[in-house]
């Protein structure tokens, strides 16, 4: 099986370019990564308004990357992603690590133009739901909405209409899973995580794939309490009881060897 065939087994939802790989890493690899992430000098954490982050691989500018080598504890992972996924034209050279407290998230956004348009997000710690919303330019304006509404009235919130069969969708990100999205999912959609301590996973595009692994894992997940409630029909909510740490792994094609040669 080549990389493309292998990846097609992990396709979720109706877009051809969203993939969810449950248990991409093992428990001990998760522990190893968290140990290194929390072992760095405190100054490596950059506080943001609603999360904090570590930047590895160098500084990304609009025009490219001022590179720094990735630390050895990340290179096994990036090498594996490069080789196994077969989606990047050259080895991944940039990793952004985000840490979210249970009530923190990230505003809907599109990743910057400096990156090659494939992103691989590894999740650690607490589960979370990531929401994808079609870009505003793909929204029919309110006049169009009213025209298309069969009742002739105004649309309720949540009934927005989108061009070309674009629809909002959500993905449940379990610990140790890998989410990959590219092309249309990268350029036509914003992605974000709500900053609430409870996430609803009703209707996520990968419910089966995400929950299949929960029964058998038997490990001591930092979010065990949260996991217990998952999968019960009456309660499709995840209480985010502990921190979530994500590793956003990407490739910046344009690398600047010299600081002054931008
Ligand atoms: O934490 C995540 O899963 C998403 C992070 C993200 O979208 C980003 O760093 O651009
Ligand atoms: Fe992002």
């Amino acid at each position: 099986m080549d990389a493309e065939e292998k990846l097609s087994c992990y396709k979720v939802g109706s877009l051809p370019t969203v993939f969810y790989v449950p248990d991409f890493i093992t428990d001990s690899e998760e522990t190893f990564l968290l140990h290194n992430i929390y072992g760095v000098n405190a100054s490596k954490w950059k506080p943001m308004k609603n999360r904090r982050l570590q930047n590895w691989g160098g500084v990304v500018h609009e025009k490219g990357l001022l590179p720094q080598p990735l630390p050895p504890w990340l290179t096994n992972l990036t090498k594996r992603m490069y080789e196994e996924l077969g989606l990047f034209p050259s080895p991944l050279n940039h990793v952004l690590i985000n840490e979210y407290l249970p009530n923190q998230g990230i505003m809907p956004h599109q990743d910057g133009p400096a990156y090659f348009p494939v992103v691989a997000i590894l999740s650690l710690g607490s589960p979370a739901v990531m929401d994808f919303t079609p870009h505003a330019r793909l929204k029919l304006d309110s006049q169009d909405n009213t025209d298309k509404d069969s009742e002739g009235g105004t649309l309720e919130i949540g009934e927005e209409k989108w061009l070309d069969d674009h629809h909002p969708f959500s993905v449940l990100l379990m610990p140790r899973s890998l989410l990959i999205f590219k092309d249309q999912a990268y350029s036509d959609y914003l992605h974000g995580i709500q900053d609430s301590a409870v996430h609803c996973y009703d209707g996520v595009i990968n419910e089966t794939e995400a929950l299949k692994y929960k029964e058998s894992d038997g490990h001591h997940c930092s979010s065990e309490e949260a996991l217990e409630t998952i999968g019960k029909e009456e309660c499709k909510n995840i209480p985010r009881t502990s921190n979530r740490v994500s590793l956003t792994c990407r490739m910046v094609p344009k690398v600047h060897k010299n600081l002054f040669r931008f």
Side-chain angles (χ1 to χ4, degrees):
M1 232 200 257
D2 64 15
E4 202 174 319
E5 258 180 289
K6 208 163 119 190
L7 203 61
S8 68
C9 307
Y10 296 110
K11 190 186 100 58
V12 286
S14 58
L15 288 182
T17 53
V18 180
F19 307 92
Y20 177 82
V21 186
D23 281 325
F24 183 73
I25 58 164
T26 63
D27 280 2
S28 55
E29 286 165 334
E30 180 185 31
T31 306
F32 170 83
L33 287 168
L34 286 170
H35 174 80
N36 281 285
I37 291 165
Y38 284 107
V40 297
N41 192 298
S43 65
K44 189 71 194 167
W45 284 108
K46 184 173 169 213
M48 308 293 282
K49 221 169 82 197
N50 211 15
R51 63 199 155 99
R52 56 178 188 161
L53 60 84
Q54 292 178 16
N55 181 76
W56 295 102
V59 182
V60 182
H61 291 264
E62 220 174 279
K63 290 180 182 162
L65 179 70
L66 276 177
Q68 272 168 5
L70 288 171
W73 53 270
L74 276 176
T75 48
N76 267 354
L77 182 71
T78 52
K79 185 167 179 277
R80 205 186 134 196
M81 287 176 180
Y82 171 58
E83 289 172 356
E84 281 184 23
L85 304 178
L87 291 174
F88 296 93
S90 58
L92 287 81
N93 54 8
H94 196 261
V95 179
L96 205 60
I97 298 179
N98 283 291
E99 182 209 50
Y100 306 85
L101 302 180
N103 61 351
Q104 294 184 325
I106 186 166
M107 292 272 290
H109 66 281
Q110 188 173 357
D111 291 359
Y115 299 103
F116 184 75
V118 177
V119 56
I121 298 176
L122 183 72
S123 293
L124 314 176
S126 213
V129 171
M130 180 177 279
D131 303 311
F132 285 77
T133 323
H135 212 281
R137 66 183 147 76
L138 296 160
K139 199 176 194 168
L140 293 174
D141 65 30
S142 50
Q143 186 57 48
D144 288 347
N145 277 348
T146 312
D147 288 345
K148 288 199 165 58
D149 181 3
S150 57
E151 302 299 318
T154 46
L155 289 165
E156 301 290 327
I157 293 169
E159 287 188 64
E160 293 156 321
K161 299 273 172 166
W162 306 90
L163 272 176
D164 298 336
D165 227 18
H166 286 78
H167 299 286
F169 63 91
S170 301
V171 190
L172 174 56
L173 306 176
M174 296 297 277
R176 296 176 302 284
S177 72
L178 188 67
L179 173 75
I180 303 145
F181 59 94
K182 64 184 205 105
D183 303 341
Q184 194 192 2
Y186 188 94
S187 54
D188 288 357
Y189 289 77
L190 306 180
H191 54 282
I193 295 171
Q194 285 182 22
D195 53 6
S196 58
V198 177
H199 278 176
C200 173
Y201 68 91
D202 195 13
V204 293
I205 59 172
N206 65 329
E207 189 177 333
T208 323
E209 293 81 357
L211 301 184
K212 200 158 54 183
Y213 287 77
K214 93 180 169 64
E215 304 296 351
S216 58
D217 52 17
H219 64 276
H220 298 287
C221 171
S222 52
S223 53
E224 210 153 63
E225 271 176 75
L227 290 169
E228 275 171 20
T229 56
I230 293 176
K232 293 188 181 150
E233 284 304 314
E234 72 277 13
C235 175
K236 292 200 169 186
N237 279 335
I238 307 162
R240 302 167 68 200
T241 50
S242 62
N243 293 355
R244 170 172 181 267
V245 175
S246 68
L247 288 76
T248 303
C249 307
R250 288 173 289 200
M251 203 278 280
V252 184
K254 205 165 188 179
V255 174
H256 295 271
K257 301 272 183 289
N258 184 326
L259 178 60
F260 303 105
R261 285 245 189 94
F262 264 96

